[in-house]
Amino acid sequence: MDFDLTEEQEAIRKTAREFAEKEIRPVVSEYDQKEEFPWPIVKKLAELGFLGMIIPEKYGGTDAGNVALALTIMEVSRVCASTGVTLSVHNSLLSNPLLKFGTEEQKKKYLPKLASGEWIGAYALTESTAGSDAAALKTTAVKKGDRYVLNGSKVWITNAGVGEVIITFAVTDKEARRGHNITAFIFEKNFKGFNVGTHEKKLGIRAANTVELSYDDLEIPEENLLGEYNEGFKIAMDTLDGGRIGIASQACGILMGCLEESVKYAKERKQFGKPIAAFQPIQWMIAEMAMELDAAKLLTLRAAHLKDLGVRHTIEASMAKLFSSTACNKAANNAVQIFGGYGYTKEYPVERFYRDAKITELYEGTSEIQNIVISRAFLRD
Ligand SMILES: Cc1cc2nc3c(=O)[nH]c(=O)nc-3n(C[C@H](O)[C@H](O)[C@H](O)COP(=O)(O)OP(=O)(O)OC[C@H]3O[C@@H](n4cnc5c(N)ncnc54)[C@H](O)[C@@H]3O)c2cc1C
């Protein structure tokens, strides 16, 4: 069993770390406070090839793979979780299903623009009454001539306000059975009938773009149907298997940040005449963070490795996301504890980590949903 990264993966990880330190760290707090999408950072990430990491070279990507993508999201999220999710959604929720389910024409049309970062991508599944129960969508698509006409709305869609291309899901056959009545579509920002709401004000990942979408007779040409008619729900779920590795990586990154900041502060801060690192409760919190970070990274990289091998990874991705997000929230809570009152202020990054951590337990399937996915695999007859 080989736990070592390849030379290429290690080089990519190192580049991502250097980039995050040099380009993101100096401005991360400002973007968070202004709740502004970090365009200059995203453009530079594109120049480094980080927006086309799982896209083959023939479509303009770097084909670096899912392990390299996970490492990159970890390194970026260690400094800025908002940029981490931007990267994750673009690569794993858009490029990935296009690559897997798209026609050759669709791949040629969209992948090069996504790989170069000329276009940012989004994935629009959730609706106000269909969150965890994603099969309960109300958005409809009706065929009219050579196009589909969509009506409905989507909520909390990452990247959609800054993106040019979106994969979405709509009910195409009300009579068909649940889960076999939904079709996936690709559409572009400039298609008629598409409206973007205002940027959501959020607890954390405040620089990540999150918007509501409305489809008022949104016209999508039939060649933009993704995969099979009425089989879009499978595409949605398959895509989330990859997306969950991205969110697990984001959680690992936040956890890395919490551990490093906590270690540094615990050695510097003195109370009762000694550094607080000399006190056992602080040592135990740090030990727990370090151990859980290792376990979270191993689970996450295992899932990414399976994805690179083309092996089904539904359970492994759910385990990685559930474990990493739980550990990340515990670590963020303990990091603020270690910082005491200073941890509650914007003077130190742990305040932001604490706010950013929570989302990892919510999106791309809540922790309760991950538990259902994992336990079902064991309890099924
Ligand atoms: C910042 C942000 C970004 C997002 N980005 C995207 C995006 O890019 N694209 C997209 O499509 N969606 C996106 N989402 C939506 C996200 O995936 C959903 O919020 C999430 O799946 C949960 O759905 P919900 O919020 O409707 O919660 P609900 O489904 O209403 O759940 C509420 C609570 O009930 C629990 N629950 C529900 N069902 C069960 C059950 N069967 N058993 C036990 N407990 C249950 C949940 O775990 C949760 O604790 C985003 C959300 C946020 C907040």
Side-chain angles (χ1 to χ4, degrees), residues 123 125-126 131-132 156-158 359 362-364 366 368 372:
Y123 166 99
L125 175 68
T126 306
S132 300
W156 306 317
I157 306 305
T158 307
I359 192 61
L362 298 173
Y363 55 17
E364 303 203 25
T366 62
E368 290 74 23
I372 290 172

Side-chain angles (χ1 to χ4, degrees), residues 97-157:
L98 266 173
L99 200 56
K100 190 160 174 189
F101 302 101
T103 61
E104 191 52 34
E105 286 70 35
Q106 290 168 347
K107 289 181 198 175
K108 278 192 193 139
K109 181 167 183 196
Y110 294 112
L111 291 177
K113 288 195 166 75
L114 291 166
S116 68
E118 185 185 338
W119 283 9
I120 300 295
Y123 166 99
L125 175 68
T126 306
E127 298 180 359
S128 59
T129 54
S132 300
D133 185 8
L137 297 186
K138 292 215 168 90
T139 294
T140 55
V142 176
K143 183 108 191 276
K144 289 202 176 142
D146 62 352
R147 42 200 58 225
Y148 284 87
V149 178
L150 273 69
N151 279 287
S153 59
K154 301 284 175 182
V155 291
W156 306 317
I157 306 305

Side-chain angles (χ1 to χ4, degrees), residues 3 16 26-27 39 50-51 79 125 146 157 165 173 178 197 234 242 250-251 259 264 290 359-360:
F3 287 98
V27 290
W39 268 121
F50 286 143
L51 299 194
V79 178
L125 175 68
D146 62 352
I157 306 305
V165 56
D173 186 349
R178 192 180 143 91
K234 260 197 229 156
Q250 183 194 30
L259 174 62
K264 199 160 73 182
I359 192 61
T360 65

Side-chain angles (χ1 to χ4, degrees), residues 65-352:
N66 289 285
V67 167
L69 174 61
L71 293 165
T72 303
I73 297 171
M74 285 180 198
E75 291 297 343
V76 167
S77 303
R78 172 181 162 269
V79 178
C80 176
S82 294
T83 312
V85 71
T86 304
L87 262 182
S88 179
V89 167
H90 178 89
N91 280 286
S92 59
L93 294 190
L94 198 79
S95 303
N96 178 48
L98 266 173
L99 200 56
K100 190 160 174 189
F101 302 101
T103 61
E104 191 52 34
E105 286 70 35
Q106 290 168 347
K107 289 181 198 175
K108 278 192 193 139
K109 181 167 183 196
Y110 294 112
L111 291 177
K113 288 195 166 75
L114 291 166
S116 68
E118 185 185 338
W119 283 9
I120 300 295
Y123 166 99
L125 175 68
T126 306
E127 298 180 359
S128 59
T129 54
S132 300
D133 185 8
L137 297 186
K138 292 215 168 90
T139 294
T140 55
V142 176
K143 183 108 191 276
K144 289 202 176 142
D146 62 352
R147 42 200 58 225
Y148 284 87
V149 178
L150 273 69
N151 279 287
S153 59
K154 301 284 175 182
V155 291
W156 306 317
I157 306 305
T158 307
N159 286 354
V162 292
E164 303 287 334
V165 56
I166 300 171
I167 286 179
T168 198
F169 303 85
V171 174
T172 28
D173 186 349
K174 285 187 184 153
E175 305 305 317
R177 75 193 153 93
R178 192 180 143 91
H180 296 274
N181 56 353
I182 289 170
T183 301
F185 298 92
I186 312 161
F187 72 95
E188 296 166 32
K189 190 180 175 175
N190 57 7
F191 282 10
K192 217 175 113 213
F194 168 57
N195 294 298
V196 182
T198 50
H199 174 59
E200 294 286 351
K201 301 259 174 207
K202 306 189 293 293
L203 170 72
I205 55 160
R206 294 166 66 171
N209 177 263
T210 316
V211 291
E212 192 173 331
L213 307 179
S214 66
Y215 308 154
D216 304 311
D217 287 334
L218 166 63
E219 291 185 19
I220 304 186
E222 62 184 348
E223 64 266 22
N224 277 34
L225 192 150
L226 180 67
E228 299 292 321
Y229 178 77
N230 271 357
E231 294 300 331
F233 189 66
K234 260 197 229 156
I235 297 179
M237 295 302 111
D238 184 276
T239 301
L240 287 176
D241 288 349
R244 286 168 185 168
I245 303 173
I247 303 310
S249 309
Q250 183 194 30
C252 288
I254 299 171
L255 218 170
M256 279 154 80
C258 289
L259 174 62
E260 288 168 25
E261 294 296 334
S262 298
V263 166
K264 199 160 73 182
Y265 189 78
K267 287 182 182 167
E268 282 166 14
R269 173 73 173 167
K270 287 202 174 99
Q271 289 293 284
F272 300 95
K274 333 175 170 167
I276 59 168
F279 303 127
Q280 196 182 53
I282 306 286
Q283 294 165 358
W284 286 15
M285 283 191 266
I286 287 179
E288 186 179 55
M289 276 185 215
M291 174 184 69
E292 294 195 348
L293 171 60
D294 252 20
K297 276 163 81 177
L298 286 169
L299 281 172
T300 304
L301 294 176
R302 174 182 70 161
H305 177 60
L306 290 176
K307 187 159 174 56
D308 277 337
L309 294 178
V311 175
R312 180 137 193 225
H313 50 275
T314 304
I315 310 303
E316 290 80 2
S318 279
M319 286 180 174
K321 181 180 184 283
L322 179 59
F323 187 86
S324 307
S325 59
T326 308
C328 156
N329 275 274
K330 210 196 294 176
N333 188 39
N334 284 339
V336 172
Q337 198 65 23
I338 290 171
F339 274 73
Y342 291 102
Y344 202 66
T345 71
K346 296 206 183 294
E347 196 176 332
Y348 291 97
V350 293
E351 180 267 347
R352 181 166 40 79

